[in-house]
Coordinates of all heavy atoms in Angstrom, one line a residue:
H746 N 102.2 80.5 92.7 CA 101.5 79.4 92.0 C 100.0 79.6 92.3 O 99.6 79.5 93.4 CB 101.9 78.0 92.5 CG 103.2 77.5 92.0 ND1 103.3 76.9 90.8 CD2 104.4 77.6 92.5 CE1 104.6 76.6 90.6 NE2 105.3 77.0 91.6
W747 N 99.2 79.9 91.2 CA 97.8 80.2 91.4 C 97.1 78.9 91.5 O 97.2 78.0 90.7 CB 97.3 81.1 90.3 CG 98.1 82.3 90.1 CD1 99.0 82.6 89.2 CD2 98.0 83.5 90.9 NE1 99.5 83.8 89.3 CE2 98.9 84.4 90.4 CE3 97.2 83.9 92.0 CZ2 99.1 85.7 90.9 CZ3 97.4 85.1 92.5 CH2 98.3 86.0 92.0
S748 N 96.2 78.7 92.5 CA 95.5 77.5 92.7 C 94.3 77.3 91.8 O 93.9 76.2 91.6 CB 95.0 77.4 94.2 OG 94.2 78.5 94.5
T749 N 93.8 78.5 91.3 CA 92.8 78.5 90.3 C 93.0 79.6 89.3 O 93.7 80.5 89.6 CB 91.4 78.7 91.0 OG1 91.4 80.0 91.6 CG2 91.0 77.6 91.9
N750 N 92.4 79.5 88.2 CA 92.5 80.6 87.2 C 91.0 80.9 86.9 O 90.1 80.4 87.5 CB 93.3 80.3 86.0 CG 92.8 79.1 85.1 OD1 91.7 78.9 85.0 ND2 93.8 78.4 84.5
C751 N 90.8 81.7 85.9 CA 89.5 82.3 85.6 C 88.9 81.7 84.3 O 88.2 82.3 83.5 CB 89.5 83.8 85.5 SG 89.9 84.5 87.1
G752 N 89.3 80.4 83.9 CA 88.9 79.8 82.7 C 89.9 79.7 81.7 O 91.1 80.0 81.9
S753 N 89.6 79.1 80.6 CA 90.5 78.9 79.4 C 90.7 80.2 78.7 O 89.8 80.7 77.9 CB 90.0 77.8 78.5 OG 90.0 76.6 79.2
W754 N 91.8 80.9 78.9 CA 92.1 82.2 78.2 C 93.6 82.3 78.0 O 94.4 81.5 78.5 CB 91.7 83.3 79.2 CG 90.3 83.4 79.5 CD1 89.7 82.9 80.7 CD2 89.2 84.0 78.8 NE1 88.4 83.2 80.7 CE2 88.1 83.9 79.6 CE3 89.2 84.7 77.6 CZ2 86.8 84.4 79.1 CZ3 87.9 85.1 77.2 CH2 86.8 85.0 77.9
N755 N 94.0 83.4 77.3 CA 95.4 83.8 77.3 C 95.6 84.6 78.5 O 94.9 85.6 78.8 CB 95.6 84.7 76.0 CG 95.9 83.8 74.8 OD1 96.7 82.9 74.8 ND2 95.2 84.1 73.7
Y756 N 96.7 84.3 79.3 CA 97.0 85.0 80.5 C 98.3 85.7 80.4 O 99.2 85.3 79.6 CB 97.1 84.0 81.7 CG 95.7 83.5 82.1 CD1 95.1 82.4 81.5 CD2 95.1 84.1 83.2 CE1 93.9 81.9 81.9 CE2 93.8 83.6 83.6 CZ 93.2 82.5 83.0 OH 92.0 82.1 83.4
R757 N 98.5 86.7 81.3 CA 99.7 87.4 81.4 C 99.9 87.8 82.9 O 98.9 87.8 83.7 CB 99.8 88.6 80.5 CG 99.0 89.8 81.1 CD 99.1 91.0 80.2 NE 98.4 92.2 80.7 CZ 98.3 93.3 80.1 NH1 98.8 93.5 78.9 NH2 97.7 94.3 80.7
T758 N 101.1 88.1 83.3 CA 101.4 88.6 84.6 C 101.8 90.1 84.4 O 102.6 90.4 83.6 CB 102.6 87.9 85.3 OG1 102.2 86.5 85.4 CG2 102.9 88.5 86.6
E759 N 101.1 91.0 85.2 CA 101.4 92.4 85.1 C 102.1 92.8 86.5 O 101.6 92.6 87.5 CB 100.2 93.2 85.0 CG 100.5 94.7 84.9 CD 99.2 95.5 84.9 OE1 98.6 95.8 86.0 OE2 98.8 96.0 83.8
L760 N 103.3 93.3 86.4 CA 104.1 93.7 87.5 C 103.9 95.2 87.7 O 104.1 96.0 86.7 CB 105.6 93.4 87.3 CG 106.6 94.2 88.2 CD1 106.5 93.9 89.6 CD2 108.0 94.1 87.6
T761 N 103.6 95.6 88.9 CA 103.8 97.0 89.3 C 105.0 97.0 90.3 O 104.9 96.5 91.4 CB 102.5 97.6 90.0 OG1 101.5 97.5 89.0 CG2 102.8 99.1 90.4
G762 N 106.1 97.6 89.8 CA 107.3 97.6 90.6 C 107.8 99.0 91.0 O 107.9 99.8 90.1
L763 N 107.9 99.3 92.3 CA 108.3 100.6 92.7 C 109.4 100.6 93.7 O 109.6 99.6 94.5 CB 107.1 101.3 93.4 CG 105.8 101.4 92.5 CD1 104.6 101.9 93.3 CD2 106.1 102.4 91.4
M764 N 110.2 101.7 93.7 CA 111.3 101.9 94.7 C 111.1 103.2 95.3 O 110.8 104.2 94.7 CB 112.7 101.9 94.0 CG 113.8 102.4 94.8 SD 115.3 102.8 93.9 CE 114.8 104.1 92.8
L765 N 111.3 103.3 96.6 CA 111.2 104.5 97.4 C 112.6 105.2 97.5 O 113.5 104.6 98.0 CB 110.6 104.3 98.8 CG 110.4 105.6 99.6 CD1 109.5 106.5 98.9 CD2 109.8 105.2 101.0
N766 N 112.8 106.3 96.9 CA 114.0 107.1 97.0 C 113.6 108.6 96.9 O 113.6 109.2 95.8 CB 115.0 106.8 95.8 CG 116.3 107.5 96.0 OD1 116.7 107.8 97.1 ND2 117.0 107.6 94.9
G767 N 113.1 109.1 98.0 CA 112.5 110.5 98.1 C 111.1 110.4 97.7 O 110.2 111.0 98.4
S768 N 110.7 109.7 96.7 CA 109.3 109.4 96.3 C 109.3 108.0 95.7 O 110.3 107.5 95.4 CB 108.8 110.5 95.4 OG 109.5 110.5 94.2
W769 N 108.1 107.5 95.5 CA 108.0 106.2 94.8 C 108.2 106.4 93.3 O 107.6 107.2 92.7 CB 106.6 105.6 95.1 CG 106.4 105.1 96.5 CD1 105.7 105.7 97.5 CD2 106.9 103.9 97.0 NE1 105.8 104.9 98.6 CE2 106.5 103.8 98.3 CE3 107.7 102.9 96.5 CZ2 106.9 102.7 99.2 CZ3 108.1 101.8 97.3 CH2 107.7 101.8 98.6
K770 N 109.1 105.5 92.8 CA 109.5 105.6 91.4 C 109.4 104.2 90.9 O 109.8 103.2 91.5 CB 111.0 106.1 91.3 CG 111.2 107.4 91.9 CD 112.6 107.8 92.0 CE 112.8 109.1 92.7 NZ 114.2 109.5 92.7
G771 N 109.0 104.1 89.6 CA 108.9 102.7 89.0 C 107.9 102.7 87.9 O 107.7 103.7 87.2
G772 N 107.2 101.6 87.7 CA 106.3 101.5 86.6 C 105.6 100.2 86.5 O 105.6 99.4 87.5
V773 N 105.1 99.9 85.4 CA 104.3 98.7 85.1 C 105.0 97.9 84.0 O 105.4 98.5 83.0 CB 102.9 99.0 84.8 CG1 102.1 97.7 84.4 CG2 102.2 99.7 85.9
L774 N 105.1 96.6 84.1 CA 105.7 95.8 83.1 C 104.9 94.5 83.0 O 104.7 93.8 84.0 CB 107.2 95.4 83.4 CG 108.0 94.6 82.4 CD1 108.2 95.4 81.1 CD2 109.3 94.2 83.0

Side-chain angles (χ1 to χ4, degrees):
H746 283 276
W747 304 102
S748 59
T749 61
N750 64 31
C751 296
S753 296
W754 300 97
N755 278 312
Y756 285 85
R757 75 178 185 186
T758 299
E759 180 186 82
L760 160 68
T761 300
L763 302 170
M764 165 192 68
L765 183 58
N766 186 24
S768 62
W769 286 104
K770 304 169 182 182
V773 175
L774 183 68

